[in-house]
Amino acid sequence: MSVKMSDTIDYCCSLKGVFVEHQLAEMIKKVNTDVQELKYEYKSDGFAVTDETVIITFASGFTRSVNVTCDSYKGIAEDVLKKV
């Protein structure tokens, strides 16, 4: 059984998605009660991740995109906190 690079990318990005949409979102909502949701999105070419973004949705419906490409979990948290 062989593992494709795209499977590894999907797995790693799904872990970042869980971090952003659950753990980080919980903390951010306590810091800024106007934040309604965080969503993690990524694009890949099958061999590498080409774009990673966190979408912040506020209670007013306004959204803000944060580029988190190649960020560690700590880097993601820092970048998102700067934008809320």
Side-chain angles (χ1 to χ4, degrees), residues 47-61:
F47 298 101
V49 176
T50 57
D51 187 46
E52 294 175 282
T53 307
V54 173
I55 309 298
I56 306 167
T57 303
F58 295 90
S60 65

Side-chain angles (χ1 to χ4, degrees), residues 35-64:
V35 173
Q36 196 169 31
E37 176 185 47
L38 297 183
K39 183 171 172 82
Y40 172 81
E41 297 178 349
Y42 74 96
K43 294 178 185 164
S44 127
D45 63 7
F47 298 101
V49 176
T50 57
D51 187 46
E52 294 175 282
T53 307
V54 173
I55 309 298
I56 306 167
T57 303
F58 295 90
S60 65
F62 176 76
T63 61
R64 178 174 285 156

Side-chain angles (χ1 to χ4, degrees), residues 2-13 42 44-49:
S2 66
V3 177
K4 294 185 278 182
M5 182 60 85
S6 61
D7 292 340
T8 304
I9 290 170
D10 290 340
Y11 176 72
C12 291
C13 289
Y42 74 96
S44 127
D45 63 7
F47 298 101
V49 176

